[in-house]
Amino acid sequence: MNFKLLHFLLPALFCLGLYRADAQCEYRLDLFDSYGDGWNGCSVRITSGPNVYTFTMNNVNDDGSDSTVYFVVAAGLPVIVNWLPGSFVNEVSFKLYNTDGTLIYQSAALTTSPGILFAGIGECPSCLKPTNVQIENVYDTRAKLRWSPAPASNVLGWQVIYGPAGFVPGPGVGDTAFVTTPKVTLTGLQKKTFYDFYVVQQCDTTDFSAQVGPFNFETYWTNDVGISAVLTPASGCDLGLETVKVVLNNYGSAPQSLLPFRYSVNGLDAGVAQPNDGFYTGVLGKDSSTVVEFETTFDFSEPGEYVIAVYTSLPGDEDALNDTTFYYVNNRLQAPYLQNFENWDGGWYVDTTSAFPSWAFGDPEKTDLDTAASGVNAWVTSLTGNYNGNEKSFLRSPCFDFSTLTSDPSIQFLLFRDTEKNYDGAWLEMALNGDSTWEKVGALGEGLNWYNNTNAQTGLGDVWDGNSEGWIKAQHRLTGAGGMSQVQLRFAFSADASLSYEGMGIDDIRIFELPANDLAGLQAGTSGEADECGLEADSVTLEITNLGSEPQSVFQVAYSINGGTPVVEDVGNLVVAPDEHITYTFATTFNSRNEKVDIRAWTILAGEQNLTNDTSLVYSVDHTPLSLPFQENFESGQLPGDWSTTGGVTNDNNNISYVIEENLYQFNPTHTTLLPRYGSVSVGDTLRFDYRVTDYPDGTEPTPLNNGTMFTVEISADCGPFETVYTIDESNHVLTAEMTKVAISLDQYVGKTIQIQFQGVWGEGDFFFDLDNINIRACALDLELSATATPASPGESDGEATVNVGAGDAPYTFLWSTGDTSQTVTNLVQAPYTVTVTDANGCTAALTINIGNSATNDIDGLTSLALQPNPTNGQARLHVTFGQPVDLQVAVLNLLGQQVWTNKALNTTDFSDDLDLTGFADGIYLVRLTAGGQTLTKKLVKSQN
């Protein structure tokens, strides 16, 4: 509402007696900022009678994103909301609610100009809702509630309507308590049950406020105690006889005393001597807890992981599920070590030296990192979002004792990575014998999947970065750890302030002594992988690493193609040292040309101690071409994913459909569109496309090709060099703003695969080059035309004919000898009619249809005859139909009357056959049809030109 309207509204309100200063109530205003930094000087000023309020939101006292405020309005007086703009008004919004919680105004797009956004009349019900409803206390079968009365001249009392959670108050639904003071104790409740309640203020016998609520609470058990936490001992490197300190909780409503509690370690009772120990004699009230310490100690000096179970044994305890708490303690863990993080965090923790850490333990729920490597839990950089900007964090291990090892152990784990490549990354560090000096473990190219990049941009060195495409296994020797008694590890992660991604994941950590003999087949490949067509003598490669402690020299390698018979080879004098990576190339080759193959390769080592990593993942290589025919009109508005072009797909610039288009001019003088490889080419296959060249910037005028401007079509056969097969230049370019169709025979490439490339070279001018409807399709000999016909009555024009198309690509166009262009023609007399059909690729065929008797009355009942192609280079197809069954004899004769081909069909209405004149001389041949004693002769011309 604007100021002028308000100027007329106020006197009217006075005249109607609507100003009431005796009733007031609270309205609510919710403020929001989409950026989270407050309103940046923006504010709203709200006036209600004599009351004026100004509200804003800043990033100091508020959280910067949203804020809720309340203000008092007077019933019957105008409520006016003024907008006072500041900076970044596009981030600001708010909602206004009346005293009943009904939305009465929501801000639209706010402007930089001040003004009135809303004007209305303050509405305060005669009986207002109570406020400040509180759940004062809840017990097992009762609950105490209180609230503040709403201002009113007369209040008879309050109704409290309650029932099971989710109930909707209504006649006969829920229980009601009526009180005359603003508090109530609900009794007779069920134990451990959720309840909802509403409060209604009653001002007189017929005047009730709106309901306030629902509010909810849960009742307690009467007798319910348990252990909520274990405080000691803490994991360490040198535990011994330790005390166990716990937190004892009363979860029920009744005070408890004389509580028995015990603990066990790794399933063995600790021998707590009750009642002298493990027996609480104090009084533990409702919702209270106390810290107690067992006098009975336990010896944790043996290295390993301990599970402490602490539990209460209260007679009559109504909830046994919260009696017991399990607590894990590590002391000098030894190899072999396995932690899958399913029971707990493994004693790994975020180092206090971390800056902006995002490491978290639990079930990851991100877009890509949406599950642990195994089970449910893992350590990841944030369970639900991306890692933090400027993060420098450390996920630290418990203490390890490798003093009994005579050689260095190896660490193996499953890793997920999704970071900004070259700027963010992770690595593993190790500290020996409690030393504060941390050293990076390993280097790029060592171990198994050990680092994947050297981060030179930020000086991080060898790291895991980029995207691993899922969980992968990483392994490396912990050099120098053997014989050490206090070893700690930590995963380091570093990120800059710019882009952040889902980050790192760590799961299923193993530390173990290296076996002497452990060869791993990491990755198979082929020498001809980069060759588009593949190689007739292609070689399989296998990346091998020695994960054992001894060098290996006498072993075999093998591979299998598509699950076939394995090829096994001795490696000869090859020696692979521990931690060394080598790539072996098999001497036995295979044919990958135009093939798709799955390759599995593996190592064969006598005395192998770890067979699980011998075989590589299946390596798939695909050299097969795309199949023919194909047709692309770009009407999806997108370039096919395996095509490339320097132009773009558009329907702008006076194009009636989507095309590939490039603007060629002085500073953009070339164009290239490259298709993928297709094959193999068959006889009759033809490359067809539409093109045009029009003026810039409208695309409405045809443009000549001058000063060397040209466009070429180039073809590479079987991955050979590209050769020009067609050129569009000033000598053959059609000057038109319409698309020009081009067809290029591919007969010279029969049996080969081809790749097509369109090239454009600018000479002068500024114009658009458009390409459309690119396809390769062989024309069917006759498009498999057939017809249905209705004869004409003698002397009448009531005949009808329909042509049917059985081959080619829709849409089709039709041209009859009558001039009609529809698939069906009517009003025909007794006579022969010819229809020419053209498909979407420009393939054509003709069919003659007789309505009634033929004009020459040669054969009664003949309804259609097609002889295509005519002329022919040797192959032609004859197709005839009759209105009734006939015995048909067909012969082909040369001009000397000699029969060169013959066939017959008995009792037929539809006859088709191929006429093969390939081995005969060029010239005119006669195709003679005989049926029912009548003969019809057609000419067929054979010519190679």
Side-chain angles (χ1 to χ4, degrees):
M1 181 178 290
N2 57 34
F3 287 106
K4 183 178 291 186
L5 180 58
L6 185 65
H7 177 76
F8 290 103
L9 175 63
L10 294 177
L13 294 173
F14 277 116
C15 294
L16 293 173
L18 295 180
Y19 276 113
R20 290 177 50 203
D22 58 335
Q24 293 184 328
C25 56
E26 280 191 337
Y27 275 31
R28 185 178 102 220
L29 184 68
D30 289 348
L31 303 91
F32 307 95
D33 183 82
S34 61
Y35 193 72
D37 62 346
W39 274 18
N40 294 291
C42 299
S43 61
V44 291
R45 180 176 298 149
I46 300 178
T47 303
S48 176
N51 302 321
V52 179
Y53 311 91
T54 300
F55 299 111
T56 189
M57 183 172 61
N58 57 57
N59 205 21
V60 178
N61 300 320
D62 306 308
D63 70 359
S65 296
D66 59 77
S67 180
T68 298
V69 294
Y70 295 87
F71 60 95
V72 175
V73 300
L77 293 181
V79 177
I80 304 168
V81 180
N82 279 277
W83 167 240
L84 305 175
S87 301
F88 306 108
V89 298
N90 58 302
E91 300 172 6
V92 174
S93 62
F94 62 89
K95 295 180 179 180
L96 178 64
Y97 298 84
N98 66 15
T99 189
D100 287 327
T102 301
L103 178 67
I104 61 175
Y105 178 73
Q106 178 174 342
S107 63
L110 297 169
T111 68
T112 56
S113 301
I116 295 177
L117 298 179
F118 171 81
I121 303 300
E123 295 182 356
C124 295
S126 58
C127 190
L128 301 178
K129 296 183 296 186
T131 60
N132 195 29
V133 177
Q134 300 178 34
I135 302 168
E136 195 169 67
N137 217 331
V138 179
Y139 301 88
D140 48 357
T141 59
R142 67 190 192 280
K144 292 183 176 181
L145 317 173
R146 67 168 56 244
W147 55 89
S148 299
S153 58
N154 182 40
V155 177
L156 296 183
W158 294 268
Q159 291 181 0
V160 180
I161 309 167
Y162 62 98
F167 89 104
V168 178
V173 181
D175 295 314
T176 300
F178 182 81
V179 292
T180 57
T181 56
K183 61 181 179 178
V184 69
T185 298
L186 304 179
T187 59
L189 304 177
Q190 298 294 316
K191 295 181 183 180
K192 207 61 178 175
T193 302
F194 285 98
Y195 285 90
D196 286 348
F197 71 92
Y198 300 80
V199 182
V200 177
Q201 182 163 305
Q202 184 175 357
C203 297
D204 58 33
T205 56
T206 60
D207 196 6
F208 297 85
S209 74
Q211 296 173 350
V212 180
F215 304 95
N216 55 76
F217 61 85
E218 182 187 17
T219 55
Y220 289 66
W221 295 115
T222 304
N223 300 307
D224 184 15
V225 297
I227 303 295
S228 62
V230 178
L231 303 180
T232 63
S235 296
C237 291
D238 195 22
L239 296 183
L241 282 175
E242 307 291 339
T243 59
V244 177
K245 185 183 296 183
V246 301
V247 178
L248 185 63
N249 266 68
N250 184 4
Y251 299 111
S253 65
Q256 302 293 341
S257 185
L258 305 179
L259 302 178
F261 59 101
R262 305 182 65 83
Y263 78 94
S264 65
V265 180
N266 292 341
L268 298 177
D269 188 85
V272 176
Q274 296 170 326
N276 296 326
D277 189 14
F279 198 73
Y280 183 71
T281 58
V283 177
L284 198 59
K286 171 181 172 289
D287 287 333
S288 63
S289 62
T290 186
V291 176
V292 293
E293 186 175 70
F294 289 96
E295 296 179 5
T296 304
T297 60
F298 190 87
D299 186 1
F300 294 93
S301 60
E302 284 296 315
E305 180 180 281
Y306 295 86
V307 182
I308 303 173
V310 187
Y311 52 94
T312 59
S313 302
L314 174 69
D317 194 309
E318 295 172 279
D319 186 0
L321 295 179
N322 58 15
D323 292 354
T324 305
T325 288
F326 293 93
Y327 179 74
Y328 293 81
V329 176
N330 288 320
N331 182 40
R332 295 185 297 116
L333 298 171
Q334 294 181 317
Y337 166 81
L338 172 62
Q339 181 55 258
N340 61 12
F341 301 113
E342 290 311 297
N343 295 322
W344 69 307
D345 59 20
W348 292 71
Y349 59 97
V350 180
D351 197 308
T352 56
T353 62
S354 299
F356 307 108
S358 63
W359 287 103
F361 167 75
D363 181 7
E365 297 180 354
K366 309 189 189 189
T367 301
D368 294 324
L369 183 47
D370 59 351
T371 183
S374 66
V376 175
N377 298 320
W379 275 98
V380 298
T381 49
S382 175
L383 292 174
T384 57
N386 294 345
Y387 53 81
N388 298 322
N390 288 323
E391 180 169 350
K392 185 66 177 291
S393 59
F394 304 95
L395 175 63
R396 189 164 174 171
S397 75
C399 184
F400 290 98
D401 180 1
F402 301 135
S403 60
T404 62
L405 302 184
T406 58
S407 61
D408 294 330
S410 272
I411 184 171
Q412 182 186 96
F413 51 89
L414 295 178
L415 168 77
F416 182 100
R417 53 182 169 83
D418 179 26
T419 77
E420 183 184 11
K421 194 170 181 64
N422 297 323
Y423 291 91
D424 307 338
W427 62 96
L428 181 67
E429 295 180 342
M430 179 171 63
L432 303 176
N433 274 350
D435 195 341
S436 60
T437 301
W438 293 89
E439 299 290 342
K440 180 177 287 188
V441 176
L444 179 68
E446 299 177 350
L448 174 65
N449 290 322
W450 203 255
Y451 307 137
N452 66 290
N453 188 32
T454 299
N455 192 322
Q457 296 284 352
T458 53
L460 298 179
D462 295 344
V463 295
W464 291 292
D465 70 359
N467 195 299
S468 61
E469 304 293 336
W471 290 91
I472 60 173
K473 182 184 292 185
Q475 180 177 328
H476 198 282
R477 187 193 305 254
L478 296 175
T479 305
M484 297 298 177
S485 61
Q486 294 187 20
V487 178
Q488 283 199 298
L489 304 166
R490 69 181 187 183
F491 289 96
F493 180 71
S494 179
D496 63 13
S498 58
L499 301 176
S500 66
Y501 298 87
E502 295 192 8
M504 307 298 299
I506 303 294
D507 201 1
D508 295 346
I509 301 176
R510 293 179 59 227
I511 299 178
F512 54 93
E513 289 187 89
L514 286 170
N517 303 316
D518 186 10
L519 278 180
L522 302 183
Q523 178 66 53
T526 65
S527 299
E529 175 184 358
D531 191 284
E532 181 74 20
C533 290
L535 302 175
E536 291 184 0
D538 205 348
S539 300
V540 174
T541 61
L542 175 61
E543 184 183 351
I544 302 169
T545 188
N546 185 356
L547 297 177
S549 60
E550 296 294 328
Q552 301 298 333
S553 59
V554 181
F555 62 94
Q556 294 176 310
V557 289
Y559 74 84
S560 173
I561 302 292
N562 295 331
T565 303
V567 173
V568 182
E569 295 184 2
D570 291 314
V571 297
N573 297 324
L574 182 66
V575 178
V576 186
D579 296 326
E580 184 182 6
H581 283 251
I582 65 102
T583 297
Y584 178 84
T585 301
F586 286 83
T588 305
T589 61
F590 74 103
N591 186 0
S592 66
R593 195 163 184 81
N594 297 325
E595 295 290 335
K596 179 180 181 181
V597 296
D598 292 333
I599 303 172
R600 187 182 293 274
W602 60 94
T603 60
I604 304 172
L605 173 66
E608 174 75 55
Q609 293 170 278
N610 180 16
L611 298 175
T612 61
N613 57 19
D614 290 356
T615 305
S616 70
L617 296 175
V618 173
Y619 173 77
S620 297
V621 59
D622 190 355
H623 296 297
T624 58
L626 298 178
S627 61
L628 291 174
F630 80 88
Q631 181 172 350
E632 180 57 56
N633 59 16
F634 311 107
E635 290 314 300
S636 67
Q638 302 290 329
L639 189 74
D642 44 9
W643 293 37
S644 66
T645 183
T646 57
V649 176
T650 179
N651 62 350
D652 296 335
N653 307 317
N654 197 38
N655 275 297
I656 62 174
S657 66
Y658 281 94
V659 301
I660 292 179
E661 181 173 86
E662 178 115 39
N663 177 206
L664 293 179
Y665 61 107
Q666 179 181 1
F667 299 107
N668 186 40
T670 61
H671 168 85
T672 300
T673 292
L674 180 65
L675 280 61
R677 195 163 56 100
Y678 289 92
S680 62
V681 176
S682 300
V683 174
D685 281 353
T686 302
L687 168 64
R688 295 178 173 84
F689 61 91
D690 299 344
Y691 87 94
R692 69 171 194 163
V693 181
T694 56
D695 64 318
Y696 175 88
D698 298 323
T700 58
E701 298 294 332
T703 299
L705 305 185
N706 295 326
N707 198 24
T709 300
M710 69 173 62
F711 300 94
T712 58
V713 181
E714 301 171 355
I715 293 180
S716 165
D718 288 339
C719 298
F722 279 97
E723 298 178 347
T724 300
V725 297
Y726 191 82
T727 300
I728 303 170
D729 57 21
E730 59 182 346
S731 67
N732 61 355
H733 171 54
V734 180
L735 197 63
T736 176
E738 303 299 324
M739 285 288 183
T740 298
K741 295 183 180 297
V742 176
I744 302 171
S745 173
L746 299 177
D747 284 349
Q748 62 180 310
Y749 301 107
V750 170
K752 298 180 179 180
T753 64
I754 62 171
Q755 192 170 16
I756 300 168
Q757 181 170 256
F758 295 88
Q759 294 271 37
V761 177
W762 171 87
E764 70 173 35
D766 190 350
F767 54 85
F768 294 114
F769 171 63
D770 297 335
L771 268 176
D772 199 7
N773 300 321
I774 303 173
N775 66 86
I776 293 179
R777 182 65 185 262
C779 291
L781 290 177
D782 59 2
L783 295 180
E784 297 182 13
L785 301 184
S786 61
T788 58
T790 301
S793 302
E796 300 294 332
S797 57
D798 56 359
E800 180 178 306
T802 299
V803 62
N804 304 305
V805 188
D809 289 324
Y812 304 98
T813 60
F814 307 93
L815 180 61
W816 293 81
S817 53
T818 62
D820 291 289
T821 57
S822 57
Q823 189 172 2
T824 299
V825 292
T826 58
N827 301 322
L828 303 179
V829 299
Q830 292 182 352
Y833 297 89
T834 300
V835 58
T836 300
V837 180
T838 304
D839 77 349
N841 298 319
C843 298
T844 63
L847 178 67
T848 299
I849 303 169
N850 285 304
I851 299 300
N853 294 325
S854 64
T856 59
N857 201 30
D858 289 322
I859 299 178
D860 290 335
L862 180 66
T863 58
S864 69
L865 185 151
L867 184 60
Q868 291 288 333
N870 194 0
T872 176
N873 59 7
Q875 295 281 346
R877 187 169 182 80
L878 173 67
H879 183 200
V880 292
T881 60
F882 297 88
Q884 67 280 335
V886 298
D887 293 335
L888 177 67
Q889 176 76 37
V890 181
V892 178
L893 301 93
N894 60 26
L895 292 182
L896 299 176
Q898 297 169 325
Q899 183 172 286
V900 298
W901 185 93
T902 184
N903 198 359
K904 65 180 179 179
L906 302 178
N907 199 36
T908 184
T909 60
D910 190 308
F911 174 85
S912 295
D913 204 351
D914 293 324
L915 311 182
D916 188 0
L917 301 179
T918 304
F920 296 95
D922 289 356
I924 298 175
Y925 291 82
L926 304 178
V927 180
R928 185 172 65 195
L929 285 72
T930 303
Q934 296 176 314
T935 300
L936 175 65
T937 301
K938 292 289 185 181
K939 290 181 181 180
L940 176 61
V941 178
K942 179 177 183 279
S943 173
Q944 295 293 336
N945 298 322

